[in-house]
Amino acid sequence: MAEKKNVLDGVTGIDAADSAQNPVCRVAFIGSECYPFVKTGGLGDVMYALPRALIRENVEVRVILPLYRCIPDKYRDKLTYKGSFMMDLCSDGRTFYVGIMETEKDGVIYDFIDNREFFDWGNPYTGLWEDIPKYCYFSKASLAILNYLEWIPDVVHCHDWQAGLVPLYLRTRFNDTPIGRAKSIVTIHNLRFQGICGIEHLKYWTGLPDYLFDYPVFKRNEDEANMFKGGLAYADWITTVSATYAQEIQTPAFGEGLDSHLSYHSPKLCGIVNGIDVEQWDSAADKLLAAPYDVGSVLEKKRENKRALQEKLGLEQDDSKMVLGLISRLTDQKGLDLVDAIFPQLIDGNTQFVVLGTGDSRYENAFRYYEGIHKGTVCAFISYNEGLAHQIYAGADALLVPSLFEPCGLTQLIAMRYGTIPIVRETGGLKDTVQPYDGSAFTGNGFTFDHYNANLLLDAVNAARTLYFTDRVHWDDMVRRDMEKDVSWENSALQYLDLYLKLKG
Ligand code: ADP
Ligand code: GLC
C-alpha cells in the first residue's frame, strides 16, 4: 500500500481509497477541466474545490478528466498507469484506445483518460468540430473506466455539456453493467455552451440508438442535435450554480433556447450556490502577495499590495488612487461593452483601472487602446496569469463584475475574501452572493445595479467612489465585513451531499 496522508482521519500509511472505509457515499466527478491541472475558468475551480469539501464530509470522490497535452509535465510525471482497453464508440463500431492514468492529492483521486487522438491538441477546447467527437468519447470512456476499475459510485456527477452524454450512456449502453446502478446529476455551469451539431454527426459519434434523436431528448430542429439537451433529459437530477440562475434559465432571456425544456424538467432542477476553496484563496497565507494579510491588518497591508501592483504594472505609484480591477474571460457574457461605454468617465484623475483577461479581440483591443491613451493609469494585461490574478485581488480596492448573465461567478467571492469590494450586476449568482450596500443601515458587501445599462454601471461605480473618497470609515467597515463573510464551500457541499443521499436512496 502506498504511503499517503489520509485526510479523513489523519492516519498515514493507507491509500485514500482504502481509508474511507465507510464513506457516506461515493461520487465520480466527470468534467472537462480541473485546477491545478487545466483551468480556463470557474468550472476548473469548482472541479477542484467541491471534491475537497466533500471528502471532509466523508464522501469518497474520484475526479475523471481528459489527459490533455496542455497539462504540465510536473503533473503528468506523477501519474500512475492503471490499465487500458479498447472501447467501441461510433455507429460503425469504430473502436478507440482508453488509457487510465491516476494520481491522488489530499484524499481525492484523479483519473485521467489517455487518448492522444482526442486529447493531444493544444488546449482543452479547440472548436466544436473536434470537441463533439472528443467529448462523446470522454463521456463514454468515463463510465467504461469506472467499470474497469471496479469502483462503482452511487452518483456520477457530470459537469456542463462536455460530460452531458454520461446520463444517456448510463441508461442505455451501460444500464446492465455494474455502473448502471449509479444515479446521475448534471450541473449546469454555463448554459451558453451546449454541444450542438448535425443529427447524423452526433448519431455517428455517439453510436446511440435512433429513438434518442427525437425532440424530447437530442433533437433541436430538423437538422440539429443538442448534446446537453439530451443529457439534461436523462439526468436523475439537474443542478445549477445559484438559485437565481436556476430560475433565470427557465425564461427565454436566459434559457439559451432550452428554457421550456428546463421548465419541463424543473421538478428535478435546483440551484446550489458555488463557494471557493478558502485555502487556495487565503490572503493571510498567500505566497504570491507582496504583503499577506488578515482582517486585522488588511487596511495597512492592502496599501502595500496596491503599491506593489502599481509598480509591477507600470501604474503611477500612489496609494490615494482608487484601483478598479477586472479579472475575466473577455467575452460578451461578462458585460464588457458596458465597461467600454463608460470608460471615459471611469478615468477621472483619481481612479486607476487594471484588467486581466483574454478572449474576444474586440475587447482585448479596446482595453489595449485605453492603456495606450492612459499610460500610468490603465493597465491591460491581456493574458491568463494565475499569480497576477492573486495580486490584483489583493491590491485592487474594488472589482468590476457587470455581467450580462452569470450562473454564479467566483471572482466576486474571491474579491470579498481578499477585502476587495465587488461592483456587480444583479444577475444569477452575483445577485445571490453580493448584498447591496445600504448607506443608512451600513450593511451590505458591495455595489450593485439591476438593468443591463451602462449608466447604471456608472452610477454603481460612482456610489463606490463616493464612499471610498468621502466616507472611508464605512468603506473600511465593508472591507472587513467582506473578509469575514462565509464564501467557503462548506454549506453548499452539505446541500450536494443531501442530494447524493436522496438519490442513493
Ligand atoms: P467563468 O467561469 O465564467 O470564467 P468565474 O467567475 O466563475 O467565471 O471564474 C473565473 C475564474 O477564472 C476565477 O478563478 C478567476 O480568478 C479566473 N480567471 C479568469 N480570467 C483569468 C485570467 N486572465 N488570469 C487568471 N485567472 C483568471
Ligand atoms: C461558469 C460560469 C460562472 C460559474 C462557473 C463555475 O463558467 O460562467 O458563472 O461561476 O462556471 O460554476
Side-chain angles (χ1 to χ4, degrees):
M1 251 178 239
E3 277 283 316
K4 285 177 194 154
K5 179 137 176 35
N6 169 13
V7 298
L8 291 172
D9 56 13
V11 174
T12 52
I14 50 173
D15 268 333
D18 299 337
S19 70
Q21 276 151 6
N22 290 305
V24 284
C25 64
R26 293 190 166 85
V27 182
F29 271 56
I30 305 176
S32 58
E33 55 181 90
C34 178
Y35 173 86
F37 310 105
V38 51
K39 165 178 158 183
T40 70
L43 170 63
D45 289 306
V46 174
M47 291 286 292
Y48 167 74
L50 179 53
R52 288 163 61 86
L54 287 167
I55 59 169
R56 282 182 216 118
E57 307 303 330
N58 198 18
V59 177
E60 200 176 306
V61 190
R62 272 174 193 253
V63 179
I64 303 177
L65 297 161
L67 186 60
Y68 304 110
R69 183 64 259 170
C70 62
I71 294 175
D73 285 344
K74 67 176 175 187
Y75 301 119
R76 299 175 80 95
D77 291 347
K78 294 209 179 83
L79 301 178
T80 308
Y81 173 77
K82 285 284 162 178
S84 62
F85 52 90
M86 295 302 288
M87 177 185 81
D88 67 312
L89 181 68
C90 305
S91 56
D92 60 3
R94 197 163 147 198
T95 61
F96 292 88
Y97 171 83
V98 180
I100 309 167
M101 303 294 288
E102 193 170 282
T103 189
E104 184 268 347
K105 194 173 167 2
D106 300 336
V108 179
I109 296 178
Y110 297 86
D111 284 310
F112 290 87
I113 296 180
D114 184 18
N115 178 298
R116 297 183 60 174
E117 219 166 323
F118 289 114
F119 302 140
D120 227 19
W121 305 74
N123 291 315
Y125 316 118
T126 46
L128 271 188
W129 185 250
E130 287 124 16
D131 288 354
I132 298 269
K134 185 191 295 179
Y135 293 114
C136 289
Y137 164 85
F138 174 63
S139 293
K140 190 170 186 190
S142 296
L143 295 175
I145 70 160
L146 291 170
N147 273 343
Y148 181 90
L149 293 168
E150 296 179 7
W151 189 84
I152 304 304
D154 300 293
V155 177
V156 285
H157 190 162
C158 317
H159 297 266
D160 269 352
W161 77 269
Q162 295 90 347
L165 290 184
V166 169
L168 289 133
Y169 280 121
L170 192 63
R171 288 293 151 258
T172 54
R173 302 287 186 223
F174 290 86
N175 202 36
D176 300 326
T177 72
I179 188 67
R181 69 168 189 262
K183 296 290 195 309
S184 64
I185 297 181
V186 170
T187 293
I188 303 170
H189 294 266
N190 194 333
L191 198 57
R192 181 144 286 185
F193 308 105
Q194 300 177 0
I196 294 170
C197 63
I199 290 175
E200 293 309 317
H201 191 55
L202 195 64
K203 264 190 194 171
Y204 174 74
W205 278 103
T206 58
L208 283 168
D210 282 356
Y211 69 84
L212 295 175
F213 289 81
D214 210 345
Y215 278 109
V217 190
F218 278 132
K219 194 165 178 171
R220 179 167 189 258
N221 56 37
E222 275 317 303
D223 307 311
E224 288 176 315
N226 180 335
M227 281 169 66
F228 211 15
K229 181 174 181 237
L232 295 167
Y234 262 58
D236 292 304
W237 199 268
I238 303 168
T239 69
T240 186
V241 289
S242 68
T244 294
Y245 195 58
Q247 294 307 315
E248 288 172 341
I249 54 178
Q250 296 179 56
T251 66
F254 293 88
E256 307 283 349
L258 290 184
D259 37 296
S260 37
H261 189 64
L262 285 160
S263 298
Y264 177 79
H265 288 289
S266 63
K268 61 171 186 180
L269 165 67
C270 71
I272 301 178
V273 74
N274 286 335
I276 55 171
D277 189 293
V278 289
E279 286 172 16
Q280 181 193 353
W281 298 106
D282 178 4
S283 58
D286 194 331
K287 294 195 176 61
L288 298 162
L289 304 189
Y293 57 94
D294 61 16
V295 68
S297 57
V298 56
L299 301 179
E300 175 201 341
K301 295 290 171 73
K302 209 172 223 309
R303 275 196 295 276
E304 276 183 53
N305 285 303
K306 186 194 284 194
R307 278 197 296 269
L309 182 69
Q310 289 169 327
E311 188 183 358
K312 179 170 182 165
L313 299 182
L315 298 175
E316 186 192 344
Q317 275 184 270
D318 178 351
D319 59 34
S320 73
K321 294 274 159 67
M322 183 179 186
V323 175
L324 292 180
L326 197 160
I327 301 174
S328 182
R329 290 183 292 116
L330 303 180
T331 68
D332 288 343
Q333 173 188 343
K334 300 297 181 176
L336 303 168
D337 49 342
L338 301 188
V339 179
D340 191 15
I342 63 162
F343 215 88
Q345 292 100 308
L346 276 185
I347 304 309
D348 63 352
N350 299 311
T351 310
Q352 295 179 340
F353 180 84
V354 176
V355 52
L356 170 64
T358 55
D360 297 354
S361 53
R362 119 173 212 230
Y363 297 121
E364 293 187 347
N365 292 338
F367 288 127
R368 283 196 185 104
Y369 168 77
Y370 291 126
E371 178 183 279
I373 60 171
H374 297 291
K375 275 274 172 227
T377 299
V378 172
C379 173
F381 208 98
I382 306 299
S383 84
Y384 187 92
N385 187 318
E386 197 73 45
L388 182 58
H390 284 245
Q391 288 148 9
I392 296 173
Y393 286 121
D397 296 294
L399 191 90
L400 292 184
V401 200
S403 306
L404 174 63
F405 70 94
E406 198 60 77
C408 179
L410 300 178
T411 62
Q412 82 282 8
L413 301 180
I414 303 167
M416 289 190 276
R417 173 114 174 112
Y418 277 57
T420 301
I421 304 299
I423 301 175
V424 308
R425 176 157 177 257
E426 293 165 17
T427 184
L430 298 172
K431 185 172 179 185
D432 295 354
T433 57
V434 180
Q435 188 197 340
Y437 178 67
D438 176 341
S440 45
F442 304 117
T443 56
N445 313 102
F447 293 87
T448 72
F449 64 104
D450 49 13
H451 297 294
Y452 193 73
N453 174 300
N455 290 325
L456 297 182
L457 168 60
L458 184 60
D459 288 347
V461 171
N462 284 338
R465 286 200 275 220
T466 303
L467 192 72
Y468 183 83
F469 288 113
T470 67
D471 188 359
R472 189 61 70 85
V473 172
H474 286 112
W475 176 276
D476 291 346
D477 281 347
M478 181 151 51
V479 167
R480 286 185 288 253
R481 195 157 58 238
D482 280 9
M483 285 189 78
E484 285 175 335
K485 184 177 160 70
D486 182 6
V487 289
S488 77
W489 264 106
E490 204 175 315
N491 252 315
S492 298
L494 289 174
Q495 291 178 53
Y496 277 110
L497 177 55
D498 276 352
L499 193 54
Y500 299 150
L501 295 176
K502 190 169 124 195
L503 289 174
K504 182 183 168 191

